[in-house]
Amino acid sequence: MDFGNSLALSLSFLFLLAHLSHSAIQLPGWLGDKNTQESVLRLNKGAFTAPFDPTRVTPLSWHPRAFVYKKFLTDAECDHLINLARDKLELSMVADNDSGKSIKSEVRTSSGMFLQKAQDEIVAGIEARIAAWTFLPVENGESMQILHYEHGQKYEPHFDFFHDKVNQEMGGHRVATVLMYLSDVGKGGETVFPNSERKMSRSNEDGWSDCAEQGYAVKPRKGDALLFFSLHPDATTDNKSLHGSCPVIEGEKWSATKWIHVRSFDKPSKHENNGNCVDENDNCPIWAKNGECEKNRVYMVGSEDSYGYCRKSCKVCSS
Ligand code: PD2
Ligand code: ZN
């Protein structure tokens, strides 16, 4: 096994450990030991939420890595999220590729708003279920964004990872996105992956819009959730993760987006506090000694659009 693979494996293992130790605080345990259907996850304040049910997850594509979870949300949860957002919608913005600032753009014509993290028990329950599904801790997630698309409204194909460094200061790159569909859509509104290896293939149903023909498409169905990764397992950006929301042709579309970062989005890491001149892994000195600064440059040192994890040991800090 080459080092890239073993590094990715050990990163996954660390992720798992971080997730489990985090879960031990946030999610003290499974209750109800007879069968999964009766089990629930207990949240911090003693509230309960439905567990992650792996039998409802189907892999859609490996390039990009994308999965659909049927009925991830109950109808009541979907209606609750819509009701929290309905009166607070504003024109959606996009991040400017150079400055990282939020700007209005023809690329994205929906309206939306951000909830607060753990705003209420239902939101906290959904966030806990997302963490259980993705193996990524709740603290790595941004607050949930609720989106509303009316006739003709769309989000042109884009990447969820950032092209600027400003937006990576909190939590690093976005590694994964969970898109939850809160309503059925008469026609259109599909999520489309124009660069997917499964181009032009999709489930065998009628009623797809022309826009859905530009790649692999997923139809919005109330309660279903789509998980896809914007980074490869070695933490480089995945150009196959390009995706968009097709124009709504009939009806309206409500969705909720949870963007998840590689590190905590709630508290700044060492990396963000100390002018980037730190190692973020205890193994950095030994890896650097073994030549990994050259062999695994993107992870160790970074690239044009992201910082590496062993900048101190690789001696690339400017200060
Ligand atoms: O609402 C969607 O379907 C959608 C599609 C693509 C949302 C996003 N991207 C996003 O919020 O990043
Ligand atoms: Zn997106």
Side-chain angles (χ1 to χ4, degrees), residues 155 158-160 177 228 243 259:
Y155 195 173
H158 60 277
F159 296 108
D160 281 357
T177 302
F228 62 89
H243 64 284
W259 288 304

Side-chain angles (χ1 to χ4, degrees), residues 82-96:
I82 292 174
N83 286 333
L84 291 177
R86 197 182 286 284
D87 300 336
K88 303 189 178 78
L89 298 171
E90 288 178 13
L91 194 62
S92 298
M93 311 282 258
V94 295
D96 181 67

Side-chain angles (χ1 to χ4, degrees), residues 108 145 147 149 155 158 160 177 179 181 191 243-245 253 255 257 259:
R108 190 181 197 193
Q145 182 170 209
L147 293 167
Y149 299 80
Y155 195 173
H158 60 277
D160 281 357
T177 302
L179 268 181
Y181 302 112
T191 303
H243 64 284
S245 178
K253 172 179 172 184
S255 62
T257 304
W259 288 304

